[in-house]
Amino acid sequence: MQPTENEQDSDLDSEAAAWAARLDARPGEAMPELEAWLARDPRRTGALLRAQAILAALAGEAEDAERAVQPGSDSMAPPAMHGIAGRRWRAAVVGGLTAIAAAVALFLIWPGTMQVYETETGEIKQIALADGSAMAIDARSRLEVAFDSNVRLIRLNNGRAIFRATKGDRRPFVVKVGTVTITDIGTEFQVLDDPLSDTIEVLVTEGVVEVDNGAQRMNIVAGQRLRVGRSTQQTARLSPEVLASRDIVRMIAWREGRLELDGETLAETVVHLNRTNRVQIRIADPSLGKKALFGTFLASDPRGFAEAVAVSLDTRMSEKDGVIVLGS
């Protein structure tokens, strides 16, 4: 059976994305095999140029976001953190792997079509939209993207994503989560849909977004976070929380495969790790789950995390059939 035209185009884009990453990782290096690849199909030159443009847009996203949350020379973020997000995330994209052991995927979404994107355990996707916007999608998430001549609409049905909307487009950029509508005003923001807590969380790292839950409407600016009820209208007045720059950097570290802890409990951390890994962690002793944790961990290394916790909390760790038990 011969591949369809769509399958051929998909293979071409995947190969072009791999070459773009290699070129970016090894600037100035002679690559005769690339010349041979380009010579075999005239479409490959255009595909490579598109892939390089997408890579450049995605690699600059983290750097812009971090600059946006820095209030200036008096930034509350520790000096060691400045610039880390952009450099590490770029390295992950260029290398073709994220730190949670999932291949970074580059996609183009064309106007007039509806695309569904679902990520599995341990998978992060980076999506480039045809209008120049971009998305980073966390593990176990589901989004529907529908662009037309009037609106750029995205529905987040579960999980977490960071959106960076391009400026200068007359169509509104709208993200719908349950009964909540988030309208972008040229910015970058993160949305978390958490069915377990029945909460939708909106974090703005740059610019302004409008949040409307059907009962209230308000603007959220860079450096603010808002939590809204997921399935029921909220009667209490919406009140955004102002966050320190270092806290914002920690909260978006997942897209680089890092887990930044500053007082989060073991139970909260395990929920995140179980979301992003096939190897699951279970807490046998409920009192351990209330312990506060501090430090930086790889989101892709649940065993390393569990070993460190077992030592620091002076507890036992065991593993059987892909499940790690703490406090056994």
Side-chain angles (χ1 to χ4, degrees):
M1 180 183 294
Q2 295 295 319
T4 65
E5 183 176 347
N6 286 342
E7 289 172 335
Q8 291 174 339
D9 289 343
S10 176
D11 291 343
L12 177 62
D13 287 337
S14 296
E15 293 175 8
W19 278 115
R22 185 173 174 183
L23 285 168
D24 200 277
R26 305 176 185 177
E29 179 179 319
M31 295 186 184
E33 61 270 37
L34 172 59
E35 299 298 328
W37 181 78
L38 290 170
R40 286 195 293 270
D41 188 333
R43 298 177 303 162
R44 291 178 175 178
T45 299
L48 178 61
L49 290 173
R50 289 196 304 271
Q52 288 178 306
I54 293 169
L55 181 62
L58 292 173
E61 179 181 337
E63 295 172 357
D64 291 345
E66 188 170 353
R67 283 195 297 269
V69 300
Q70 302 296 338
S73 59
D74 295 324
S75 170
M76 292 174 282
M81 290 300 297
H82 295 329
I84 287 179
R87 290 197 303 273
R88 288 188 181 174
W89 193 57
R90 182 178 179 81
V93 175
V94 167
L97 296 173
T98 68
I100 65 168
V104 175
L106 303 178
F107 298 91
L108 286 172
I109 299 175
W110 300 104
T113 63
M114 198 274 281
Q115 299 282 343
V116 177
Y117 291 96
E118 293 185 89
T119 51
E120 299 178 355
T121 300
E123 182 183 20
I124 287 178
K125 286 182 178 179
Q126 311 293 346
I127 309 296
L129 307 180
D131 70 331
S133 301
M135 305 185 297
I137 306 175
D138 199 4
R140 297 190 189 178
S141 300
R142 187 179 191 276
L143 295 91
E144 298 174 358
V145 179
F147 283 13
D148 60 27
S149 59
N150 298 314
V151 65
R152 296 172 290 169
L153 175 63
I154 300 172
R155 295 184 184 275
L156 175 63
N157 297 320
N158 184 56
R160 174 168 56 183
I162 295 175
F163 304 93
R164 183 173 182 83
T166 189
K167 300 176 182 178
D169 194 310
R170 64 174 181 80
R171 298 169 299 170
F173 188 98
V174 178
V175 177
K176 287 184 173 290
V177 196
T179 60
V180 177
T181 301
I182 302 126
T183 304
D184 167 76
I185 310 176
T187 184
E188 178 178 283
F189 59 102
Q190 172 175 283
V191 180
L192 170 64
D193 179 16
D194 185 8
L196 291 177
S197 64
D198 200 36
T199 300
I200 296 166
E201 179 181 285
V202 181
L203 169 68
V204 181
T205 59
E206 177 185 344
V208 186
V209 301
E210 179 189 86
V211 178
D212 185 348
N213 69 345
Q216 301 176 59
R217 180 185 302 172
M218 69 179 307
N219 289 347
I220 311 299
V221 302
Q224 292 184 333
R225 174 177 64 181
L226 180 68
R227 290 191 173 102
V228 186
R230 181 174 181 269
S231 57
T232 58
Q233 290 189 346
Q234 187 167 321
T235 57
R237 181 171 179 80
L238 297 177
S239 180
E241 174 187 5
V242 178
L243 300 178
S245 298
R246 62 177 178 272
D247 293 327
I248 295 176
V249 171
R250 286 194 308 106
M251 292 177 66
I252 62 176
W254 61 265
R255 67 178 173 188
E256 305 161 50
R258 297 199 327 273
L259 195 59
E260 300 276 355
L261 304 179
D262 187 20
E264 286 81 0
T265 66
L266 174 60
E268 292 170 336
T269 307
V270 165
V271 169
H272 176 80
L273 285 170
N274 286 345
R275 182 186 187 92
T276 57
N277 291 281
R278 290 181 173 83
V279 174
Q280 300 287 283
I281 299 176
R282 183 169 64 86
I283 305 171
D285 181 356
S287 64
L288 284 177
K290 301 176 183 179
K291 300 290 187 181
L293 301 178
F294 300 83
T296 300
F297 302 88
L298 286 178
S300 60
D301 186 15
R303 291 185 181 90
F305 168 82
E307 290 170 358
V309 167
V311 171
S312 64
L313 299 184
D314 191 24
T315 189
R316 295 183 61 188
M317 166 193 162
S318 62
E319 181 176 355
K320 183 179 180 180
D321 299 328
V323 177
I324 297 171
V325 180
L326 288 171
S328 57

